[in-house]
Amino acid sequence: MSPPPSVWSAAEDRGGGGSSEGGFSAGRAAEPPTYIPYEQVTPDLAGNENGLPNAYFTYPENPVQREGFPLEAASAPVVGLFQGMSVVNGRDKNPWWQQHEKATGATWDLQSTISAQWNDKQSVVLAGQDLPDLMMLTKTPQFPALLDKMFVNLSDFLAGDKIADYPGLASISTASWREATLNGSIYGIPNPRVPIGNIVSTRGDLLAERGIDASPTVNSGEDLMDLFKELSNSRENRFAMGALPSSWALSAAREMTGTPNMWREEGGRFTHMYETDEFVAALEVTVEMWKAGILHPESFTGSNIEWWTGGVTSVYIQNVAGWSQFATSNPDWNVGIIRLPKWDGGGPAPKLLGVAAYGAPVAIKKADDDRVVELLKMIDYIASPFGTREFLEVNFGVKDRDYTMEGTEPKPNTDVTKADQLPGVVYAGGQRSGSLYVPGKPEVVKEQHAVFSEMLADPSINPAGGLYSESEASKASAPNAKLQDLIGEIIQGRQQLTAWKPAIDSWVTDVGDAMRNEYAEAFAASK
């Protein structure tokens, strides 16, 4: 699988340090960082640059000590602003914080804000222009101009083989770096994730009661509906699924009907998924699910997680991390997966890929080149690969305080860890969520790696990924929300499907055409 040319086409290299001017406009793409697997630790099942994660059955008995750490004393303290809860134990009472400072050679001033309040905090900080050295960024209106003015274009430091100076960062997949790229320029450090998007999980224990495999083979949409009907009985308070149907059930239907992954690009023209026949078909499928009684009747208002954990529902659409989490916390559930088919049959549906990194990369404020390199070396410590001592330090804290070893596996001391854990630091390249590792469950890791390998072999990618639309950033929120409300009304039968066409015509006029044209312009300029 090759990344979209809109993001990865090689073009002129350009300045990225404190002296660079401009750099985040369309048409000035740089080479993506070269993917260089970390060879000091051998995975049990190898990943690749397209986002297939390395898989590990156990933590190495003798973790690798990375060369070059701890770092020499830094030229100045580091101020970092990240998403997260405030740390309970301050620096003087926090061995984890002290360990982090020793490893990076710098004093760290850690500031944090919970994710729900992040956009407001970001706006205030950017308006005041008193920037921290490291700062998570979510896209905001006039984002390219903001980056040009305040933050370092990292292309000169990390593009192509330049990233080899930072082995931790180099071991992050190309797919993850795409999420820290704007119009071909690297503007931040990604926190890698498995880019599979949503998966359809099962409570294998509940399926077994009906003689069904935990990961049943489903060959068509009709087969899936039959399975869900078998798992549902309203008189017994049993339903296949809960959760908000306009988000979760619809996402599964979109995959099966071949709906574009947000946008479709053909000959340079962009078409939004809302405008396609495939989306209308997916909406019809979701209406059918609702009418069939296979979705909990309170799915628009109730608590899906309570139904899932309580055994009311046996199918749960979630992210990849959830599969590993439930396999660990509830091993008796025997969590499985349903590989969604094409609705009319003919094989597995192309996977609607999610992003390969958390949606708020960590940017570096404008500084001279020596300072940027110094900060990148510290970030490379945070990005230490699985199997190293430094990975344990970054992600688990201080041995025999924040975690203990059970055999070769690290086990957090929960109460201590919550008090010591550094807020948000791992967002700067931390790799804990970018690997497949379920302690004591190698069979789960094997199944995950096999399924994800298949999904990544035939994916559906958003061609607008890594491009920027000012209209989407500044004007799309209200029109999109209006359509989401209509989708919910149609699924519940309060509006007819005929209401969709005029609503889309209005959406196209309000914002759709503007977004389409801006993405097409950025796409053409980057080729």
Side-chain angles (χ1 to χ4, degrees), residues 248-444:
W248 299 97
L250 181 59
S251 71
R254 284 175 47 216
E255 197 162 292
M256 291 187 288
T257 62
T259 303
N261 194 344
M262 197 61 68
W263 290 93
R264 173 182 292 153
E265 180 274 318
E266 295 175 313
R269 175 177 171 79
F270 279 67
T271 302
H272 196 274
M273 66 175 183
Y274 286 154
E275 304 173 86
T276 66
D277 293 340
E278 292 91 342
F279 185 87
V280 175
L283 190 50
E284 289 178 317
V285 166
T286 312
V287 170
E288 182 181 346
M289 289 182 179
W290 183 257
K291 289 180 177 178
I294 63 179
L295 307 178
H296 195 288
E298 298 177 10
S299 291
F300 279 89
T301 57
S303 176
N304 183 36
I305 185 64
E306 291 183 5
W307 299 327
W308 163 255
T309 57
V312 175
T313 58
S314 49
V315 177
Y316 189 66
I317 300 179
Q318 62 178 336
N319 60 31
V320 171
W323 185 358
S324 299
Q325 174 189 331
F326 287 121
T328 301
S329 62
N330 300 85
D332 55 315
W333 287 2
N334 188 27
V335 175
I337 187 171
I338 298 174
R339 179 68 167 97
L340 292 174
K342 297 176 182 176
W343 182 256
D344 293 326
K351 188 75 188 73
L352 293 175
L353 290 191
V355 295
Y358 187 70
V362 173
I364 299 176
K365 78 171 182 180
K366 293 276 189 179
D368 62 55
D369 286 1
D370 289 343
R371 177 61 169 170
V372 174
V373 169
E374 187 175 74
L375 291 169
L376 286 173
K377 288 180 179 179
M378 298 182 203
I379 292 171
D380 192 61
Y381 166 76
I382 298 169
S384 291
F386 184 99
T388 63
R389 293 184 187 180
E390 291 75 15
F391 179 94
L392 293 174
E393 293 174 0
V394 169
N395 296 285
F396 291 89
V398 177
K399 185 179 178 183
D400 297 327
R401 173 183 167 88
D402 298 296
Y403 73 98
T404 55
M405 299 299 292
E406 291 192 353
T408 66
E409 313 303 335
K411 181 180 180 180
N413 297 328
T414 306
D415 292 339
V416 178
T417 296
K418 286 182 178 179
D420 284 356
Q421 190 164 25
L422 307 184
V425 168
V426 293
Y427 285 116
Q431 299 209 53
R432 186 172 183 178
S433 297
S435 301
L436 300 180
Y437 169 61
V438 186
K441 294 287 181 180
E443 71 282 359
V444 173

Side-chain angles (χ1 to χ4, degrees), residues 6 183 260 262-276 462-464 467-473 475-476 480 483 501 503-525:
S6 60
N183 294 335
M262 197 61 68
W263 290 93
R264 173 182 292 153
E265 180 274 318
E266 295 175 313
R269 175 177 171 79
F270 279 67
T271 302
H272 196 274
M273 66 175 183
Y274 286 154
E275 304 173 86
T276 66
N462 180 6
L467 302 178
Y468 180 77
S469 163
E470 178 60 30
S471 295
E472 180 157 30
K475 300 177 182 178
N480 286 346
L483 284 186
K501 178 62 165 60
I504 283 301
D505 289 344
S506 295
W507 178 87
V508 167
T509 300
D510 290 342
V511 74
D513 274 340
M515 289 194 298
R516 178 197 338 279
N517 294 336
E518 288 162 3
Y519 279 128
E521 181 180 353
F523 176 83

Side-chain angles (χ1 to χ4, degrees), residues 42 47 69 76 106 114 138 153 381 411 427 446:
T42 303
F69 296 102
I114 61 173
T138 55
N153 182 336
Y381 166 76
K411 181 180 180 180
Y427 285 116
K446 289 177 183 177

Side-chain angles (χ1 to χ4, degrees), residues 206 209-210 228-240 293 296-297 307 310-314:
L206 300 180
E209 293 175 1
R210 296 161 181 80
F228 283 0
K229 289 174 183 177
E230 188 173 352
L231 297 173
S232 304
N233 187 322
S234 60
R235 293 187 300 274
E236 298 177 2
N237 195 34
R238 289 193 290 107
F239 303 91
H296 195 288
W307 299 327
V312 175
T313 58
S314 49

